Amino acid sequence: MQSLSTETSFALLEKLRAERPLVHNITNFVAMTVSANVLLALGASPAMAHAVEEQQDFAAIASSLVVNIGTLSAPWIEAMKTAAGHYAAAGKPWVLDPVGVGATGLRNTTAADLLSMRPTVLRGNAGEVMALAGMAGGVKGVDSTAGSSAAIDAAAGLAEKFGIVVAVTGETDYVTDGVHTVEIEGGHELMPLSTALGCALSGVVGAFVAVAPPFEATVAALATYAAAGKIAGDLLAGPGHLPAELCDALYALDANRLAANASVTVMGA
Amino acid sequence: MQSLSTETSFALLEKLRAERPLVHNITNFVAMTVSANVLLALGASPAMAHAVEEQQDFAAIASSLVVNIGTLSAPWIEAMKTAAGHYAAAGKPWVLDPVGVGATGLRNTTAADLLSMRPTVLRGNAGEVMALAGMAGGVKGVDSTAGSSAAIDAAAGLAEKFGIVVAVTGETDYVTDGVHTVEIEGGHELMPLSTALGCALSGVVGAFVAVAPPFEATVAALATYAAAGKIAGDLLAGPGHLPAELCDALYALDANRLAANASVTVMGA
Amino acid sequence: MQSLSTETSFALLEKLRAERPLVHNITNFVAMTVSANVLLALGASPAMAHAVEEQQDFAAIASSLVVNIGTLSAPWIEAMKTAAGHYAAAGKPWVLDPVGVGATGLRNTTAADLLSMRPTVLRGNAGEVMALAGMAGGVKGVDSTAGSSAAIDAAAGLAEKFGIVVAVTGETDYVTDGVHTVEIEGGHELMPLSTALGCALSGVVGAFVAVAPPFEATVAALATYAAAGKIAGDLLAGPGHLPAELCDALYALDANRLAANASVTVMGA
């Protein structure tokens, strides 16, 4: 744990680029295109498939799965659960992004059901993580109104209870397995003004867990994204070109740029 | 009515930015990402949710609803009607964008059914508004082939019949409540060459009606968008970067830029 | 056949721009927005509609259909087959893009069913074309791992068997009717790093077949896209802005730029 750093994150990024894992996404309609572009720029190979009939086939060929509940409906929920079951049975990692949990009963039930299937990594904002932990979170639509540090305890509780890695992202990001917690700094204030960049980050986590153990993979994913987000945002005066610049920053990210634009700190060590 | 101007429009934009309303969209697949980005750049908080099971929950937490029929199917039509009913029951505004009405029987039936539920604002191009009014419009797919001024009478008739505000947008935009009509100039000839910018404008109307009375809100939405569109288009030689530049122009829009790039004229006054 | 060239391709592009055909797309969620923007920049009028109830109406008003199986589900498969039947019955051309065939049973069955309906043009990458031809292809998710030239024989076999035009696209593109084969060079190495650009190319083929015979139309579509892709990619250091630059290059493409950035060669002549 002590060895986690931007250097170890970059080593995993290089591993990811060499292996080019196939990352299967069942994600929301708003996030699909930007998630695919982010994964391609990162060095992964994205696939999007939501038909319940092809979940078993994808679990056989893909390296990991990302489930995002942003735009739900009954057939998609069935596909999400089916897919999670097949990936778990195959011993392959999967990531849960519980978009907007706390906002509606359907999201609450779906997110709780999926969480009970023990995703490899749960990634959400503070409001979503607190809602899942049953605390009084502040979910306003799909954005969180609470700072990410407010959800550290909730995240650690969920991590311990389900035996998973939990990432809370926001202005500062946290990764916890219930025992250890790592803080990642970076990113840019324009990022919340460009839609689905959090969803795309879950895709990035999905790519890293395909090539490394969950905790280290999640830290590396968040550090990579934080650095690319800062590089991209620093070039811009508004949010319009942020997805394109984020992709370019991911595509061109090297060890020096990663270390200069993000930090990884093991907490309470 | 006489007091409507780019100044009053900007005052409402400032109100919108301060209140950051949650705008719930049931929109088409092509428009989702750009609509969300436009709403974020404007200062609103977008949510996309189409499951019939969560329409009541969203009507309780969101400030307004935007219904866009661009990519229909039976479950979505059911969700649109259910949502419209819940927002109406809650006394919250909702906007109807009847994309491509006139092109197919399914669109005609769906748009007519939704119109009979009396949206707060109806926004369409000339062909769509004329098709809804039962006149001989020219709908070619989802683009209108008639100039927007040709639909003023049709718009006024619909406004009067249903007791709603109707906006006809095109090279010049018109807003009418059946008695008063306001003309908005601005925009850019590249805008029709970038997909779903009309759909995203309906989202912008949805954000403004969340913070102001329907007529003034619709005028402010169209003036804001017309100015941002002109600012963005004037920077470009082609349509590729228009969505990004439009977002940046919305994000940076101030009173002077709004007044310099759009005009608001009360007609027949 | 000997007369096919970038000059004849540009003549068809000018015809397309003059006629502005309505191109109906039943395509995947990832590709919808970029496909629509590419078609608009090219000079066509895109429509997206997947409800089975409106396929007959669209077949009556649109000039051509593009069917893309990238994100399948049962209702969409039914709509695709229904649409293909109506366009065929109306004597209008349609294009099949068998995204990811070879990856899952559902894709294999659906692509085979649609192919048996004899699309006017089949466009895929090498892995997809070889999978359809029953050869040992290399399909990794939705990307092909085989070079396009490896699929020329498979493409010619499919073209001859079904009496259709087959296009295999990749670093080099090939068009065959089973007897004649044309090679198109151009494009850029960044193109595979931006999602759905192959899908958008199928949309471009759909626009050209609306205004010209299938073989010449497909060559012109690929030459146009290859030139625009090269122009766009040469401006960039990363993939982020590629869709926007591709649209701008299509929008501004003239005869000289087309000839300077793509080549058309009749093979074995």
Side-chain angles (χ1 to χ4, degrees), chain A:
Chain A
M1 203 55 59
Q2 292 292 25
S3 67
L4 289 174
S5 64
T6 55
E7 286 72 26
T8 56
S9 294
F10 186 72
L12 293 186
L13 175 58
E14 288 287 83
K15 186 163 189 284
L16 187 163
R17 287 168 169 169
E19 296 188 13
R20 199 161 183 255
L22 178 60
V23 181
H24 173 199
N25 298 267
I26 307 179
T27 190
N28 70 74
F29 297 121
V30 185
M32 283 194 186
T33 305
V34 65
S35 291
N37 278 327
V38 160
L39 284 168
L40 286 167
L42 181 72
S45 179
M48 310 275 158
H50 66 283
V52 70
E53 298 93 331
E54 59 186 351
Q55 298 309 318
Q56 187 165 9
D57 287 345
F58 264 106
I61 59 170
S63 297
S64 60
L65 169 72
V66 179
V67 173
N68 176 305
I69 70 166
T71 51
L72 284 177
S73 64
W76 286 65
I77 294 169
E78 185 191 357
M80 290 171 183
K81 292 179 183 176
T82 302
H86 284 301
Y87 278 82
K92 293 181 179 180
W94 67 285
V95 176
L96 175 61
D97 185 338
V99 178
V101 66
T104 72
L106 184 69
R107 280 159 207 261
N108 292 349
T109 303
T110 304
D113 287 352
L114 288 165
L115 183 58
S116 74
M117 296 179 77
R118 300 184 59 238
T120 312
V121 183
L122 169 72
R123 191 214 65 82
N125 62 32
E128 291 159 353
V129 169
M130 289 192 289
L132 275 173
M135 296 181 179
V139 173
K140 182 183 184 184
V142 297
D143 300 320
S144 175
T145 54
S148 48
S149 65
I152 295 178
D153 288 349
L158 289 171
E160 190 178 5
K161 178 174 177 183
F162 292 98
I164 63 176
V165 171
V166 179
V168 189
T169 62
E171 196 177 322
T172 301
D173 299 338
Y174 301 94
V175 179
T176 179
D177 61 4
V179 179
H180 311 91
T181 301
V182 171
E183 178 183 293
I184 295 100
E185 297 272 7
H188 196 278
E189 62 186 9
L190 286 173
M191 294 183 82
L193 297 180
S194 183
T195 198
L197 294 193
C199 303
L201 172 52
S202 294
V204 170
V205 174
F208 274 94
V209 294
V211 302
F215 196 97
E216 293 86 331
T218 305
V219 170
L222 271 50
T224 296
Y225 208 69
K230 181 166 188 349
I231 293 167
D234 282 349
L235 295 171
L236 301 170
H241 293 281
L242 189 56
E245 291 294 334
L246 177 66
C247 286
D248 281 358
L250 287 167
Y251 179 70
L253 197 65
D254 59 22
N256 288 340
R257 284 183 193 146
L258 177 45
N261 291 282
S263 69
V264 171
T265 308
V266 180
M267 294 179 74

